[in-house]
Amino acid sequence: MAESHAGANRRDFIQVASTTMGVVGAACVAWPLIDQMNPAADTLALLTTEFDISGVEEGMSVTIVWRGKPVFVRHRTEKEVEEARSVDLDDLPDPEVDADRTTNPKFLVMVGVCTHLGCVPLGQKATDPKGEWGGWFCPCHGSHYDTSGRIRKGPAPSNLSVPPHEYISDTVIRIG
Amino acid sequence: MSGPNFPNPIVRWIDHRLPIFTLMHHEMHEYPTPKNLNYWWNFGSLAGIVLVIMLVTGIVLSMHYTAHVDYAFQSVERIMRDVNYGWMIRYIHANGASFFFIVVYIHIFRGLYFGSYKAPRELLWILGVVILLLMMATAFMGYVLPWGQMSFWGATVITNLFSAIPGIGDWIVTLLWGGFSVDNPTLNRFYSLHYLLPFAIVGVVVLHIWALHRFGSNNPLGIDVRGKQDSIPFHPYYTIKDMFGLGVFLIIFSAVVFFMPNAMGHPDNYIPANPMVTPANIVPEWYFLPFYAILRAIPDKLLGVIAMFAAIGVLFILPWLDRSPVRSGTFRPIFKVFFWMLLADCVLLTYLGAKPPEGVYVILARIGTFYYFFHFLILLPALSIFETPKPLPRSISQPVLGSGAAAAAAAMPKENS
Ligand code: HEM
Ligand code: FES
């Protein structure tokens, strides 16, 4: 500290400027080292799955794989659709109408991953517990989903997510 | 202070240029240690030895393990069946993790009872909590490696904890996974970190011991060493005592490794990972159960995650929550009672963490969680004000030698040096 403390001198400026450049440089180097952890190109290439729903009878559920995750396809009964549609939105923790969750009201397609901490909820097999609203039940920490896959009770914060999907023919859907 | 005079000329030659033998002599031989340490003081060196056991067995396991989703499970089975002594090495490593936590938890509760976190040892304590966090991360990632059902679903549930962070949560989870679910990229990076973190632990252990040797060990009376008459050299007195403790530990450890190696494990981890089916009751390894119980006790996802991390976070600020000038619980009649209550509460939470989250278990877990934080955040600060400690002995030698009744001044504030 050769010079007085009064005001910034040229040495202070050089110190601040070079420290700033050092930090910017370090951040630029750090980014590739962090971003390498993100999904690689070949992982991203597996983004769509096609599925023929004609074999899924009314009342049946099928689990398919999309991006390494289970996707539930349920061919709902009249009663299930009715239940899903007659709910008062005020009763839902994450309000969403059933019509917004399906393209074809008979077929509910959603990612079978609990929005709490990622377990696969039960309810796909006839013998599974389906929770208090007859949809799905996550055994990990007790989340109940209704026949539209909406969260009704338990720690999960939101409804089972509906993946982007479209009908590419009358019976084939493409997910992703 | 002149260094010791080593008879061996080679040692003298090296020590003159790199005084490593002098350092070892100071810190492991003549190192003055309170003469009244009881067996609860064995667990620090024991933890160090278990760390070495984990490093050695881990490095050997790596010579046979394959970190790929298609081969990981089989490579571990091959270690168990075909590799020479592989079964023994793996059982030592898997049970060693459990025993590491047993030893470290005892070590921590020792510190809680005898006030070892108080000045001037706050930083020593904080470094210890850092070691605990690193151990947890290491053990969690190690448990994923055999790629059984519990490996996979434990990894899924724990990585999903980060999705509770508002805004960037999902981005972080994708970054951790390297994909859209726990998969091969996840297994690879966990293996890389599982190899790395134990060596980071070694580094923090060095700092921990450095901080320890600045003021020396606390002791059961919690009063400072006053002079030569209060301490004895570490070697041979405590080296031999630590060796004896190690012998007892190894007997118990071997009994588990050789006669009940799967007692602390979960049978579902002998089923290969299946990303489509979650096991009926996911339970973490026993040493995570109290934290898991806290996570599940709170019905809100974000708050549950915060409470779980806060359960460890609160240990970082403990030296400033308990402001009583008396260190040892021996002289704190009310604190002593609540110490045992806290221990009972932790045992209760451990039990509840393994139970399904329903009915009475949820209610008990909520009470247990509340009590845990109540102890640290309300009780300890309040006790520091309202409790009247018992008189402290004037020095460590006094009660030990029994020279005159433990004539004692009324509780004096501890002397910080
Ligand atoms: C702090 C020290 C360590 C802890 C707490 C720890 C913990 C664990 C745990 C809990 C497992 C799962 C055991 C099972 O159920 O099969 C495991 C597996 C494994 N660990 Fe470690 N570990 C440590 C150090 C290391 C080191 C230093 C290495 C390598 C250099 C290593 C390499 C491995 C390997 C290859 C496996 C997979 C084989 C197996 O599952 O038995 N570990 N570790
Ligand atoms: S993961 Fe489904 S309730 Fe927690």
Side-chain angles (χ1 to χ4, degrees):
Chain A
M1 293 288 158
E3 293 179 40
S4 77
H5 285 255
N9 55 32
R10 288 160 58 148
R11 177 144 308 180
D12 292 337
F13 174 77
I14 286 177
Q15 269 169 9
V16 171
S18 44
T19 312
T20 312
M21 278 316 288
V23 170
V24 171
C28 291
V29 175
W31 177 246
L33 296 177
I34 295 169
D35 193 40
Q36 56 80 22
M37 288 176 70
N38 269 316
D42 62 333
T43 312
L44 291 170
L46 302 169
L47 287 189
T48 60
T49 300
E50 285 173 18
F51 179 65
D52 184 350
I53 56 172
S54 56
V56 187
E57 306 281 330
E58 181 165 312
M60 226 174 108
S61 298
V62 171
T63 306
I64 55 180
V65 183
W66 172 64
R67 290 176 164 189
K69 293 194 241 209
V71 167
F72 293 168
V73 178
R74 181 178 285 189
H75 189 159
R76 297 188 291 182
T77 60
E78 292 293 344
K79 182 166 158 284
E80 286 171 337
V81 176
E82 178 52 31
E83 275 170 8
R85 304 220 147 180
S86 61
V87 178
D88 185 353
L89 281 190
D90 291 341
D91 292 345
L92 300 172
D94 180 15
E96 219 182 340
V97 289
D98 183 63
D100 289 348
R101 295 175 55 78
T102 50
T103 327
N104 167 356
K106 297 242 106 186
F107 285 93
L108 178 64
V109 178
M110 47 183 199
V111 177
V113 171
C114 181
T115 57
H116 182 227
L117 295 175
C119 294
V120 178
L122 298 172
Q124 287 293 88
K125 285 195 222 113
T127 48
D128 279 351
K130 293 186 162 57
E132 289 173 28
W133 282 268
W136 288 264
F137 171 69
C138 182
C140 290
H141 318 95
S143 290
H144 299 252
Y145 297 91
D146 66 13
T147 54
S148 186
R150 290 169 300 198
I151 179 68
R152 301 302 288 271
K153 183 179 163 191
S158 51
N159 304 333
L160 292 177
S161 77
V162 176
H165 64 282
E166 55 179 352
Y167 285 80
I168 52 175
S169 78
D170 282 353
T171 57
V172 178
I173 51 172
R174 184 199 290 140
I175 302 168
Chain B
M1 197 190 290
S2 66
N5 215 344
F6 298 106
N8 185 325
I10 299 176
V11 169
R12 266 209 309 276
W13 188 91
I14 295 176
D15 198 69
H16 184 65
R17 286 151 183 84
L18 176 71
I20 186 164
F21 294 103
T22 304
L23 181 87
M24 275 162 50
H25 187 84
H26 280 326
E27 306 301 336
M28 290 156 75
H29 189 145
E30 69 185 4
Y31 175 60
T33 310
K35 61 182 172 191
N36 59 337
L37 298 189
N38 56 30
Y39 274 106
W40 298 118
W41 264 260
N42 275 51
F43 289 85
S45 70
L46 209 49
I49 294 168
V50 178
L51 177 60
V52 173
I53 295 177
M54 295 307 286
L55 288 166
V56 172
T57 50
I59 290 169
V60 185
L61 282 172
S62 308
M63 297 182 183
H64 307 279
Y65 172 77
T66 312
H68 187 285
V69 289
D70 294 339
Y71 305 105
F73 189 87
Q74 278 151 321
S75 75
V76 172
E77 282 309 299
R78 189 178 155 269
I79 290 172
M80 296 300 287
R81 290 153 198 262
D82 297 336
V83 174
N84 300 334
Y85 292 106
W87 57 272
M88 185 180 86
I89 296 165
R90 171 164 181 252
Y91 277 153
I92 292 175
H93 196 76
N95 287 288
S98 276
F99 275 86
F100 200 5
F101 279 93
I102 294 175
V103 168
V104 165
Y105 283 150
I106 294 176
H107 189 63
I108 291 173
F109 274 98
R110 185 281 316 261
L112 288 175
Y113 184 81
F114 293 105
S116 300
Y117 47 86
K118 294 189 183 183
R121 296 185 184 83
E122 302 95 323
L123 210 49
L124 170 62
W125 173 261
I126 289 173
L127 287 166
V129 183
V130 171
I131 294 172
L132 175 65
L133 282 175
L134 287 171
M135 274 174 68
M136 291 178 145
T138 306
F140 160 64
M141 290 193 264
Y143 194 61
V144 176
L145 301 184
W147 211 244
Q149 271 291 63
M150 281 296 163
S151 301
F152 182 89
W153 291 102
T156 299
V157 167
I158 302 299
T159 48
N160 263 305
L161 291 178
F162 293 91
S163 70
I165 302 169
I168 54 167
D170 288 329
W171 185 84
I172 292 183
V173 173
T174 307
L175 184 79
L176 289 175
W177 287 343
F180 303 99
S181 58
V182 172
D183 209 331
N184 199 45
T186 327
L187 177 60
N188 271 299
R189 62 194 56 185
F190 277 20
Y191 184 42
S192 166
L193 295 174
H194 185 69
Y195 209 131
L196 170 71
L197 287 189
F199 294 92
I201 295 177
V202 171
V204 184
V205 167
V206 170
L207 296 180
H208 189 73
I209 292 172
W210 192 357
L212 170 71
H213 282 219
R214 183 89 172 88
F215 297 100
S217 294
N218 183 27
N219 63 78
L221 296 175
I223 58 178
D224 288 334
V225 168
R226 279 286 167 65
K228 276 199 156 37
Q229 73 286 1
D230 287 348
S231 67
I232 43 178
F234 192 78
H235 182 75
Y237 297 104
Y238 284 112
T239 40
I240 203 70
K241 189 172 176 179
D242 282 348
M243 298 273 265
F244 175 70
L246 175 65
V248 174
F249 170 84
L250 289 178
I251 291 172
I252 300 169
F253 184 48
S254 313
V256 173
V257 166
F258 292 104
F259 295 102
M260 42 197 298
N262 289 306
M264 287 183 281
H266 199 292
D268 278 24
N269 223 26
Y270 284 104
I271 304 171
N274 178 354
M276 295 295 125
V277 181
T278 309
N281 186 15
I282 301 194
V283 278
E285 292 284 87
W286 69 266
Y287 36 82
F288 293 132
L289 289 175
F291 305 100
Y292 198 57
I294 292 176
L295 169 77
R296 299 193 304 182
I298 294 174
D300 180 86
K301 176 170 165 181
L302 179 59
L303 290 179
V305 173
I306 290 176
M308 189 182 77
F309 283 107
I312 297 196
V314 75
L315 296 176
F316 279 106
I317 54 167
L318 174 60
W320 296 276
L321 292 172
D322 178 2
R323 309 208 61 106
S324 166
V326 175
R327 289 197 193 104
S328 174
T330 313
F331 303 105
R332 301 185 61 189
I334 311 178
F335 167 89
K336 198 191 288 189
V337 175
F338 285 112
F339 167 85
W340 293 110
M341 297 268 289
L342 178 73
L343 185 62
D345 188 44
C346 291
V347 173
L348 174 73
L349 285 172
T350 306
Y351 167 77
L352 294 172
K355 291 286 161 193
E358 53 200 28
V360 66
Y361 298 129
V362 176
I363 298 165
L364 285 175
R366 292 198 179 141
I367 297 172
T369 302
F370 170 82
Y371 186 80
Y372 182 89
F373 288 105
F374 174 76
H375 177 93
F376 286 106
L377 298 176
I378 314 277
L379 241 153
L380 287 184
L383 277 187
S384 336
I385 301 169
F386 297 114
E387 184 185 42
T388 312
K390 288 203 225 143
L392 291 178
R394 220 178 275 134
S395 79
I396 290 177
S397 333
Q398 203 172 34
V400 172
L401 300 179
S403 63
M412 292 179 295
K414 64 175 182 286
E415 315 91 66
N416 302 345
S417 33

